[in-house]
Amino acid sequence: MKTVVSGIRSTGNLHLGNYYGALRNFIRMQHENRCFFFIADYHSLTTHPNPKDLYPNVKNVLTEYLAAGLDPEVSTIFIQSDVPEVTELYLMLNMHAYLGELSKTVSFKEKARKQPENVNAGLLTYPTLMAADILLHNPDEVPVGKDQEQHLEMTRRFARRFNNFYGVEYFKEPVAYSDGTQMIKVPGLDGSGKMGKSEGNCIYLIDDAKTIQKKVMRALTDQGPTEPNSVKPDYIENLFTIMQIVSAPETVAFFDEKWNTCEIRYGDMKKQLAADIIEAVNPIRERILEINANPAILHKAVTLGKEKARESAGKTIREVREIMGFRNF
Ligand code: TYM
């Protein structure tokens, strides 16, 4: 049985990118693997250090995890800050992480550009905290979307470096898990490369049918192609990519053919796309509303998750301390 670890930052509600890039894989994997899925609330502090938002954001993500189908009896579902062992491993890994490599990380450079007034050390060491999250449970696989590829590569590098430095074969080098062979990237509805909370181009799992329709119908399009079989501009390609993710292959083939013969009607395509997204999202939305009406479910889930996660984390920390030379008096 493989061990699997993954997480999502608690910086707001979950969107289609989180769902198709990561969460859906969590749900599929949970029955065949030993899974740890957590809510990265420490990570959220690198960009959202607002005490008023912290708890509601964690609560939303937890609710959405459960509503989407994660089962706390089957997987270990926990909140990052409920397992303080991660901060110790983070500190230890930071001793072997170098300024040069951390400052070159794409996500660091992006965030530093976006929030020049708050380029904090937590942003710089974001990849070591993520590596600590993962290595704390020594997994084989990490289901994440394509945007996390570099962080995962760094995690492998930190694991390898630790093993080499201390002359042990302790940490495994975990690989990405994605549905199919390629890691998924869900594009934004605004023609940009990635659907993301900070990009403001998301469809959320909590969005109702009307909201989804409105967002999809507003997506950028143009007059349509004038030459048969032309290359699609990015904003049109994005709509097709989302359609490939949520719709049946025949639906995509139908509109692709219409594109190639210059007969495409974007209104029809968007209507279909909105209907398919609603069909995927609506059952989750309904369960979110049910859980909101019964918050005891959340308490039960995280209490159980914390206990299981701390057991696994405690073992790793004891062994890592031993390897590094810590001894009791
Ligand atoms: P976060 O919170 O930005 O996103 C959570 C998961 O959703 C995926 N994702 C996407 N996948 C495809 N298309 C998109 N547009 C899209 N947007 C988001 C992400 O790839 C991710 O899998 N650093 C992580 C959180 C984290 C973590 C970890 C993940 C902290 N520690 C340990 C795995 C293991 C992050 O910011 O993801």
Side-chain angles (χ1 to χ4, degrees), residues 2-217:
K2 286 182 182 158
T3 299
V4 174
V5 176
S6 201
I8 300 184
R9 257 176 320 152
S10 53
T11 48
N13 291 97
L14 301 190
H15 52 76
L16 286 191
N18 298 134
Y19 182 68
Y20 287 102
L23 185 53
R24 194 176 54 152
N25 287 331
F26 299 180
I27 295 155
R28 289 184 177 163
M29 305 180 89
Q30 62 181 339
H31 293 283
E32 290 88 46
N33 301 284
R34 174 175 172 255
C35 292
F36 294 86
F37 299 126
F38 66 95
I39 298 164
D41 57 347
Y42 283 142
H43 273 112
S44 77
L45 298 177
T46 59
T47 53
H48 293 64
N50 188 343
K52 273 209 317 293
D53 296 336
L54 195 75
Y55 173 76
N57 281 345
V58 171
K59 184 165 174 249
N60 282 344
V61 176
L62 179 62
T63 303
E64 290 166 1
Y65 265 15
L66 301 183
L70 282 189
D71 182 344
E73 304 279 344
V74 175
S75 311
T76 299
I77 299 167
F78 65 100
I79 299 165
Q80 189 183 32
S81 61
D82 269 349
V83 184
E85 287 81 357
V86 75
T87 58
E88 186 170 348
L89 187 57
Y90 166 56
L91 178 142
M92 289 160 164
L93 294 176
N94 269 334
M95 304 303 165
H96 297 284
Y98 303 112
L99 179 62
E101 61 188 340
L102 293 171
S103 59
K104 273 196 230 114
T105 315
V106 175
S107 62
F108 173 70
K109 289 196 287 191
E110 248 171 44
K111 291 276 156 50
R113 204 173 46 239
K114 271 193 193 147
Q115 52 180 62
E117 73 299 342
N118 182 19
V119 186
N120 58 72
L123 269 185
L124 182 72
T125 55
Y126 188 112
T128 42
L129 180 54
M130 180 155 161
D133 290 327
I134 296 170
L135 298 177
L136 197 55
H137 306 286
N138 219 351
D140 304 277
E141 287 182 5
V142 183
V144 282
K146 193 161 175 53
D147 59 315
Q148 298 298 314
E149 217 171 5
Q150 188 180 32
H151 287 152
L152 198 53
E153 182 54 47
M154 292 176 82
T155 301
R156 281 195 288 274
R157 197 192 310 153
F158 294 144
R160 200 159 51 238
R161 193 176 289 159
F162 180 95
N163 290 346
N164 289 342
F165 188 89
Y166 293 105
V168 290
E169 276 303 315
Y170 185 69
F171 288 124
K172 288 184 244 180
E173 291 184 33
V175 296
Y177 171 88
S178 178
D179 185 18
T181 47
Q182 273 190 327
M183 291 168 92
I184 287 183
K185 181 159 95 176
V186 180
L189 279 174
D190 55 352
S192 72
K194 177 183 158 186
M195 183 174 287
K197 275 163 275 205
S198 38
E199 282 77 10
N201 57 10
C202 297
I203 292 183
Y204 293 99
L205 300 182
I206 188 66
D207 282 347
D208 61 15
K210 257 208 182 119
T211 309
I212 294 174
Q213 256 155 1
K214 234 196 260 162
K215 286 183 178 176
V216 174
M217 295 317 279

Side-chain angles (χ1 to χ4, degrees), residues 222-233 236 258-266:
D222 53 25
Q223 307 293 324
T226 47
E227 297 279 320
N229 302 314
S230 17
V231 175
K232 300 179 182 101
I236 300 296
K258 295 276 175 211
W259 166 271
N260 284 331
T261 53
C262 304
E263 292 170 291
I264 191 147
R265 290 165 49 162
Y266 291 127

